[in-house]
Amino acid sequence: MTQALTIAKFGGTSVANYEAMQKCARIVLANEATRIVVVSASAGVTNHLVSMAHTPMTQEQISDVCKAVEEIENAILTKLSNPDAVEGKLEDLLAEMRELAFHEEILHRDDLKDQLLSMGERMSSLLFSAVVGEQHNAVINFDVRKVLRTDSEFGEAAPQLETIHELSELLLRPEIENAMVVTQGFVGADEQGRTTTLGRGGSDFTAALLAEALQADVCEIWTDVTGVYTTDPRIAPNAHPLPELSFEEAAEMATFGAKVLHPATMEPALRQDIKVFVGSSREPEKGGTWIMRDCEHEPPYRAITRRKEQVMVTVKTPQMMYAQGFLQQVFTIIAKHRLSVDLVTTSEISVSFTLDNPANSVAQRLNKETIAELETFCDVKVEGGYDLVTVVGNHMQSAKGVSSKIFAAVSEYNLRMICFGANPHNMSFLVNENDSTEIVQGLHRSLFE
């Protein structure tokens, strides 16, 4: 019988400083099955690296940001019981960060940006392995780029699953036989060995990919909240953690705005039927949320999510009536410009759809060229200022009274789009961004309080 294998991932706040890392070390050492630990960059570091990779700065400003990163890393280093063991390696990484930050092409080359953005995880994994090493002799700081093979789409690299599996079996499994491995989230490498990144939130994805490659039993996601909540407790103070979620529910929640989960995390876990646990590294004794294929209870309402900064696009033409191929034309252009559609509604002569717009990135890609292509055969209207609110649950299409209870709770508000019936796990509506907080609060009172 093969030994149980758990992969634990710790987010940025969990490895923010030496004391936080100590708590994480106690968590992983308390579970004999935990053989691989995936860490994010220490809190604040990635934001500093992103600013240097994307914002024009003077030499002095770059130097100041580098110093801010160095302060975070050195504050951890100086508290180690044996800092000399890793000080040289940390200095090398900080020197590499500085060289990249001052590179004259950093703002124009995506490969250099990914190299720079990887530095946070590479430093935190080095320091965390040293913290674990204070309590446990056999610890290896493993470079995940040896096994996490991706394509060359810098910034949003796609994992190459078969190669990851082969390399993990060849290079990673032998290491975990006799030692605990600490490695980096978010980071990968293409066939040429160039550093790539999986996008923000990619550390969860990394942990799930490694769990899939090594057929792990459990993938733990340790963060700063005690599990997945019925909704964001900052919006609804009476929100409470959920003891369990199905993979489908968790995937819907992650896709539609639950920040505690990365949307792609559920895919590897579902493919290999790996249980996922979400808990707080600050308060591990409080338990958390288990995500699995089959739950003990499947209530019609499980949670409410909100995704901000949505763009609604309406394309309209009298020629659409009874016309074949209109939708294909529209979505071919949208796909060509790498825009991802969420909700879709249609009428006789028009189609409306929503696009997620974090930090106005979609607004930039939905540019004059995209609109000009669409306008060759239809009228185009682009509107912002919307949020997407989603109720996640089970059997929502068939359970009596589900939709009426939801609509009763939002009856005072203007809903621009409603999407219901495409699957049994959600009902979504597009609402004015100024109403979304009240809508989530009202839904939570009606469904969960």
Side-chain angles (χ1 to χ4, degrees):
M1 187 172 177
T2 56
Q3 190 177 359
L5 174 60
T6 293
I7 292 179
K9 175 264 173 179
F10 293 93
T13 55
S14 297
V15 292
N17 52 47
Y18 177 76
E19 292 74 22
M21 284 189 175
Q22 279 190 311
K23 289 182 181 178
C24 298
R26 286 194 286 271
I27 290 171
V28 298
L29 293 172
N31 182 358
E32 287 185 5
T34 304
R35 309 301 296 165
I36 299 176
V37 181
V38 175
V39 294
S40 298
S42 296
V45 171
T46 299
N47 288 337
H48 286 313
L49 298 174
V50 167
S51 68
M52 291 191 291
H54 293 279
T55 309
M57 291 184 181
T58 64
Q59 301 281 298
E60 186 179 354
Q61 288 172 324
I62 294 171
S63 184
D64 288 344
V65 178
C66 286
K67 284 177 186 173
V69 173
E70 288 168 4
E71 285 173 9
I72 294 170
E73 307 298 347
N74 285 322
I76 300 169
L77 176 74
T78 54
K79 292 191 175 181
L80 293 172
S81 59
N82 183 19
D84 293 346
V86 293
E87 185 173 11
K89 292 178 182 176
L90 180 61
E91 285 178 359
D92 288 344
L93 290 172
L94 288 168
E96 185 180 340
M97 175 193 73
R98 277 185 162 272
E99 185 180 343
L100 288 163
F102 281 101
H103 198 293
E104 60 183 15
E105 290 291 308
I106 187 67
L107 295 177
H108 310 292
R109 283 180 49 186
D110 291 340
D111 59 332
L112 293 177
K113 288 177 183 175
D114 272 10
Q115 265 186 273
L116 179 59
L117 294 178
S118 77
M119 300 307 304
E121 278 73 14
R122 291 166 65 193
M123 289 186 281
S124 66
S125 64
L126 173 70
L127 293 168
F128 185 69
S129 62
V131 173
V132 175
E134 293 176 343
Q135 305 173 48
H136 183 70
N137 290 329
V139 183
I140 295 167
N141 181 29
F142 184 87
D143 189 339
V144 80
R145 293 174 297 179
K146 294 178 181 177
V147 299
L148 207 126
R149 184 61 46 78
T150 71
D151 64 11
S152 303
E153 197 65 49
F154 298 103
E156 289 284 346
Q160 310 292 296
L161 300 181
E162 285 188 23
T163 310
I164 292 170
H165 173 72
E166 291 167 6
L167 292 173
S168 295
E169 286 291 345
L170 181 68
L171 302 173
L172 194 50
R173 192 176 293 281
E175 300 283 18
I176 65 175
E177 298 296 332
N178 304 303
M180 180 179 292
V181 166
V182 176
T183 192
Q184 308 82 33
F186 174 64
V187 180
D190 67 6
E191 279 189 17
Q192 287 77 44
R194 295 175 299 178
T195 300
T196 59
T197 64
L198 301 175
R200 290 301 281 263
S203 292
D204 289 3
F205 194 23
T206 302
L209 288 167
L210 295 179
E212 178 184 28
L214 294 169
Q215 295 93 48
D217 303 276
V218 175
C219 180
E220 296 177 344
I221 307 292
W222 293 96
T223 178
D224 53 2
V225 291
T226 53
V228 183
Y229 279 63
T230 46
T231 197
D232 187 337
R234 292 169 297 185
I235 302 175
N238 291 328
H240 56 83
L242 297 159
E244 62 175 6
L245 278 173
S246 69
F247 285 129
E248 288 83 0
E249 291 170 318
E252 295 289 340
M253 290 181 68
T255 300
F256 288 108
K259 294 285 192 289
V260 74
L261 294 169
H262 186 272
T265 305
M266 291 307 109
E267 295 172 17
L270 180 59
R271 286 193 293 262
Q272 283 291 329
D273 197 12
I274 299 165
K275 289 184 178 180
V276 177
F277 174 80
V278 181
S280 168
S281 61
R282 295 171 182 171
E283 302 174 297
E285 70 282 355
K286 289 192 175 180
T289 303
W290 281 97
I291 303 169
M292 61 197 84
R293 188 181 295 278
D294 298 309
C295 292
E296 192 174 335
H297 303 288
E298 294 186 343
Y301 316 109
R302 184 79 84 179
I304 302 160
T305 65
R306 175 177 71 175
R307 198 160 76 186
K308 298 177 73 66
E309 297 177 16
Q310 302 297 292
V311 171
M312 182 169 75
V313 181
T314 302
V315 292
K316 181 179 180 181
T317 173
Q319 297 168 4
M320 180 184 163
M321 195 176 294
Y322 310 123
Q324 295 179 337
F326 177 76
L327 286 177
Q328 181 182 357
Q329 278 183 283
V330 170
F331 290 115
T332 296
I333 292 169
I334 294 301
K336 174 182 165 184
H337 291 271
R338 298 181 60 235
L339 293 161
S340 179
V341 172
D342 290 318
L343 305 191
V344 181
T345 60
T346 64
S347 71
E348 288 280 13
I349 61 169
S350 66
V351 180
S352 294
F353 51 89
T354 63
L355 305 166
D356 193 22
N357 187 32
N360 297 312
S361 61
V362 161
Q364 292 163 14
R365 289 214 306 278
L366 190 68
N367 53 26
K368 291 179 181 177
E369 185 184 344
T370 316
I371 294 169
E373 281 191 58
L374 290 168
E375 285 180 337
T376 59
F377 60 94
C378 60
D379 297 326
V380 183
K381 185 179 182 183
V382 180
E383 301 173 72
Y386 295 109
D387 292 348
L388 184 62
V389 176
T390 302
V391 179
V392 176
N394 295 277
H395 315 297
M396 295 180 75
Q397 298 162 316
S398 54
K400 289 184 179 178
V402 167
S403 55
S404 60
K405 191 168 185 178
I406 293 171
F407 285 127
V410 297
S411 60
E412 300 296 313
Y413 300 94
N414 181 25
L415 310 181
R416 284 304 306 268
M417 288 176 68
I418 301 167
C419 195
F420 182 47
N423 76 41
H425 295 292
N426 75 54
M427 176 186 284
S428 299
F429 1 85
L430 198 66
V431 302
N432 188 297
E433 62 184 2
N434 297 322
D435 296 332
S436 67
T437 297
E438 289 181 8
I439 287 172
V440 171
Q441 290 168 343
L443 280 167
H444 198 272
R445 281 193 300 271
S446 177
L447 304 182
F448 298 110
E449 298 175 25

